Amino acid sequence: MNIQDWTYLLVGITFTIYIGIAIWSRVQSTSGFYVAGRGVPPLANGMATAADWMSAASFISMAGLVSFMGYTGTIYLMGWTGGYVLLALLLAPYLRKYGRYTIPEFVGDRYYSQTARVIAVFCAIFVSFTYVAGQMRGVGVVFSRFLEVDVNIGVVIGVVIVFFYAVMGGMRGITYTQVAQFCVLIVAYLVPAAAISWQMTGWAIPQIGFGSTLLEGQHAGMALLEALDAIHRDLGLPEYTGAWVDGKKSMIDVLAITMALMIGTAGLPHVLIRFYTVPNSRAARWSAMWALIFIGLLYTTAPAVSAFARVNMIETLNEKPYVEAPQWFKSWEATGLIVFKDLNGDGVIQYSGDAQKNELMVDRDIMVLANPEIAKLPAWVVALVAAGGLAAALSTAAGLLLVISASVSHDLFKSVLWKNMSQKDELRMARIAAAFAVVVAGLLGIYPPGFVAQVVAFAFGLAAASFFPILLLGIFDKRTTKEGAITGMLLGIGFTAAYIIWFRFLDPTATAEQWLFGISPEGIGTIGMILNFIATITVSHFTPEPPIEVQNMVDDIRLPSGSRDIG
C-alpha cells in the first residue's frame, strides 16, 4: 500500500471512531452539552485537556517554527508549557469550585454586571475565532498533501466532521472524542520521532538523541546541534543555537512573546471550560496534573523533531539537481507549500540565507508532516502522522466551537436576551450557534491570516490581554469592581487587536524599529495585559467596592479544595 492508501485507511478508521463516540455520547440536556454533566474522571479529562490544548500549532507548526528559528523558536515551548502551569495553579481549581458553565458567566457573576458578561462573550468569541482559523488551516494542509485534494476541500471535510460530533454530542461528545484524539496524536508524534532518532543517532528516545552525535551523512561524528550550527554558518544563516544575534528576534521581543503565550494559555476559555467538566475542585487539580504529564510527552520531544527535520531537509535538498529531487519533494511541491525557483538557471537547488540567492521556499507548517517522508520511513508511519495532525487540529477546533456556542446560547441569549428560555430552546440555540460557528471556522480555514502557529500566537495574545487579568483579580482581589473589569477588558483587547491588525494586515512590511518597544504583533498581548491590569486596578480604586455577597462569593471560591463546591 502506498502513502495515500494508508492515509485513507487510518484517517477513515479514526474518523469512524470519532463519529461513533459522538453517536454514543449524544446529549439531551444543557448540562451535558456545556460541561458533560460534570462527570468526567480526572484521567480522562487530563487526556481531553491535553488534546484540547495541543492544537495544530503544537503538532504541525511548532516544531517547524523551532526548526527554522532555532534557539528563539523555543519561545513557543516555554510560553505554552509555562502558561499551563500558571493555569493549573492560579485558575483551574478556583473556577471549578465556582462551578456554572462558562467563563463569561463567571465574569458576569463576579463583576455583578450584564455588561461585563457581554464584553466577556465578545472577547471569548473573538479569541476563539482567531484561534480556530489556525486549526482549520492545519486541517487543509494535511488533506491537501496526503489525500491529494484541494486545501479548501480538505477544510470542508474537516468542518463536516467537527460539525457532526460537536453539534450532536456537545461537551460530552467532544470530551470523549478528544480522549481518542489524544491517543492518536501522541502515538503519531512519538513513533516517527523515535524512529528518526534511532536512524540518525542510535538512540530511540528523541530527548536523548537530541543531545547525541550523528551516525551518518557529511556531519557524522558531530553532535546534532553542533552540526546544525555548522550547516547554518555554511548557508549564511544565524547559528541554530545562537541567541540575540543578527537575523533573530531581540531579547525584548522574545520576552514579550513568551509572556504573551504564557499568560494567554492561562486565559484561554476553551481550556478553562474543561475544568468545569469534572466532579469537584480536587478532580480539577488532578486533571491539571495529568494534562501536564501528557502535554510534556509532546513538548519535550518537539525540539528533537525540529532538529532532525532541519538536518534531513537541508542535507536532502541543498545543492542537489532539481531533476533528482526525491519524491517527497515533488509531492509537497504539488501543494504549493514548497517552491523551487531556479534563479541562476543551473537546475540545482540552492538554499541560502541570502534572500537574493535563495531558491527554495518552504512553508514551515510542513516540517513535521514531511519529516517521516524525508527520513524514508514506511508509508504507514507517514499516514499515521497525517492522522495525528488531523486529530490535533480537530480536537482543539471542537473545543473552541463549543466555547463560541455556549457564549452565544447561554451567556448572550439565556442570560441577557431571552431570560425565560426553556432548557429545550437553549439546547437548540446552542446547536444552532455551534453550526454557525463551524461554517465561519471553515471560511477562516480557507482564508487564513498566517502560519498556523502565528495565528494561534495572536489568539494567545488576545486572551492574555482580555481574560487573564480579570480572572486572576476576580479570584484573588475582592476589591476589584465591575467598572474596573469592564475598562480593563476593553482597553486590553482593544489595544492588542488594533496593534495586530495594523502591523499584520495594514502595514505588514513594518520593521522591528517601527514596533512599540521593538515588540512584534505576536508579543503585544503582554503590553495589552499590563494595560488591562493597570486600568482594572486604577478604576477599581476610584469606584465603590463590590456588594458584600460578591465579596463572600470570592472568599468561598478560595476555601480549601475539600470544602463544598458552589456549583
Side-chain angles (χ1 to χ4, degrees):
M1 291 174 61
N2 59 27
I3 292 174
Q4 189 176 21
D5 291 338
W6 273 110
T7 304
Y8 273 111
L9 176 63
L10 293 183
V11 170
I13 290 173
T14 56
F15 277 16
T16 301
I17 292 172
Y18 304 156
I19 293 173
I21 291 173
I23 295 173
W24 166 76
S25 57
R26 179 179 173 85
V27 295
Q28 299 295 334
S29 68
T30 52
S31 176
F33 192 89
Y34 294 139
V35 292
R38 304 196 197 281
V40 181
L43 178 61
N45 197 54
M47 297 176 74
T49 303
D52 206 356
W53 186 76
M54 289 191 295
S55 62
S58 294
F59 190 99
I60 296 175
S61 194
M62 181 182 63
L65 284 167
V66 177
S67 186
F68 279 77
M69 296 170 67
Y71 176 86
T72 52
T74 56
I75 54 179
Y76 296 96
L77 297 169
M78 295 184 294
W80 285 331
T81 50
Y84 188 81
V85 174
L86 280 180
L87 182 153
L89 293 177
L90 297 179
L91 299 180
Y94 304 106
L95 289 173
R96 174 58 192 94
K97 194 162 196 315
Y98 159 75
R100 309 296 192 270
Y101 289 155
T102 69
I103 300 306
E105 188 171 21
F106 170 79
V107 172
D109 289 352
R110 166 59 184 85
Y111 294 108
Y112 49 101
S113 168
Q114 292 288 57
T115 301
R117 186 195 298 264
V118 172
I119 293 172
V121 168
F122 168 78
C123 292
I125 292 173
F126 190 52
V127 169
S128 298
F129 271 132
T130 303
Y131 202 156
V132 84
Q135 311 316 307
M136 301 317 295
R137 171 177 163 81
V139 170
V141 169
V142 173
F143 272 111
S144 67
R145 163 61 188 94
F146 294 105
L147 298 182
E148 297 184 5
V149 299
D150 183 78
V151 172
N152 296 346
I153 295 176
V155 171
V156 172
I157 295 172
V159 162
V160 171
I161 297 298
V162 173
F163 175 87
F164 193 88
Y165 66 78
V167 173
M168 177 179 289
M171 178 59 86
R172 177 175 164 82
I174 287 172
T175 296
Y176 290 105
T177 301
Q178 286 174 336
V179 170
Q181 287 167 332
F182 170 76
C183 296
V184 172
L185 75 87
I186 201 65
V187 170
Y189 205 84
L190 295 180
V191 166
I196 295 172
S197 181
W198 174 264
Q199 183 186 82
M200 294 181 68
T201 69
W203 288 95
I205 301 175
Q207 292 85 343
I208 298 177
F210 184 56
S212 302
T213 57
L214 296 172
L215 298 178
E216 299 177 350
Q218 62 191 68
H219 295 93
M222 292 181 67
L224 174 63
L225 293 177
E226 288 181 352
L228 268 172
D229 281 343
I231 290 170
H232 274 222
R233 285 194 298 269
D234 292 343
L235 297 176
L237 293 163
E239 288 192 348
Y240 191 81
T241 61
W244 332 130
V245 296
D246 290 341
K248 292 200 172 184
K249 289 184 175 294
S250 65
M251 184 184 296
I252 184 67
D253 197 24
V254 167
L255 175 62
I257 295 175
T258 304
M259 286 296 295
L261 295 176
M262 287 180 65
I263 303 301
T265 296
L268 285 175
H270 77 288
V271 176
L272 291 169
I273 200 174
R274 286 239 55 91
F275 296 98
Y276 286 159
T277 66
V278 294
N280 50 51
S281 54
R282 174 180 171 82
R285 292 181 188 274
W286 277 102
S287 293
M289 185 203 74
W290 282 116
L292 192 57
I293 291 172
F294 296 139
I295 290 166
L297 289 175
L298 189 147
Y299 269 64
T300 56
T301 306
V305 171
S306 305
F308 297 151
R310 186 70 169 164
V311 171
N312 272 338
M313 186 200 75
I314 293 175
E315 290 192 342
T316 301
L317 295 180
N318 191 42
E319 297 186 2
K320 298 293 192 298
Y322 175 72
V323 294
E324 299 177 10
Q327 181 57 45
W328 71 264
F329 178 86
K330 300 292 187 180
S331 298
W332 280 104
E333 191 179 29
T335 69
L337 298 174
I338 188 167
V339 177
F340 167 61
K341 293 183 178 179
D342 193 4
L343 300 179
N344 58 14
D346 65 355
V348 176
I349 300 172
Q350 300 290 337
Y351 186 56
S352 173
D354 185 344
Q356 303 300 318
K357 298 179 181 178
N358 182 46
E359 299 178 333
L360 186 64
M361 275 62 70
V362 182
D363 189 307
R364 302 175 186 189
D365 289 343
I366 76 168
M367 293 305 293
V368 169
L369 299 173
N371 202 18
E373 291 181 276
I374 300 173
K376 300 179 181 179
L377 297 184
W380 68 268
V381 178
V382 179
L384 181 63
V385 173
L390 289 172
L394 295 176
S395 62
T396 302
L400 291 164
L401 293 169
L402 188 71
V403 167
I404 296 168
S405 170
S407 296
V408 172
S409 61
H410 186 71
D411 292 302
L412 191 57
F413 277 86
K414 174 68 174 177
S415 301
V416 179
L417 301 178
W418 188 1
K419 293 185 178 181
N420 61 347
M421 176 187 289
S422 68
Q423 184 178 104
K424 182 178 180 180
D425 287 334
E426 185 180 352
L427 185 59
R428 183 183 298 112
M429 178 59 67
R431 287 185 164 133
I432 292 172
F436 175 77
V438 168
V439 173
V440 176
L443 292 174
L444 290 172
I446 293 172
Y447 304 103
F451 294 119
V452 172
Q454 185 183 47
V455 174
V456 169
F458 295 154
F460 277 74
L462 293 168
S466 57
F467 279 120
F468 182 77
I470 60 164
L471 292 176
L472 190 68
L473 292 172
I475 292 170
F476 293 100
D477 181 19
K478 294 189 294 185
R479 185 62 182 80
T480 305
T481 67
K482 64 179 180 181
E483 294 86 356
I486 291 170
T487 304
M489 278 192 291
L490 290 175
L491 178 61
I493 198 167
F495 167 80
T496 304
Y499 192 94
I500 291 173
I501 291 170
W502 180 265
F503 286 111
R504 179 64 183 87
F505 300 104
L506 302 181
D507 189 16
T509 59
T511 62
E513 288 74 23
Q514 296 171 278
W515 294 337
L516 180 65
F517 307 126
I519 298 175
S520 64
E522 290 87 346
I524 201 61
T526 297
I527 303 300
M529 178 265 296
I530 293 172
L531 292 175
N532 188 331
F533 268 119
I534 292 173
T536 302
I537 294 171
T538 301
V539 173
S540 294
H541 180 74
F542 291 103
T543 49
E545 66 181 27
I548 189 65
E549 61 269 20
V550 172
Q551 297 186 47
N552 290 338
M553 184 187 82
V554 174
D555 283 334
D556 198 32
I557 288 173
R558 295 206 306 272
L559 285 174
S561 59
S563 302
R564 178 181 61 84
D565 287 346
I566 294 175

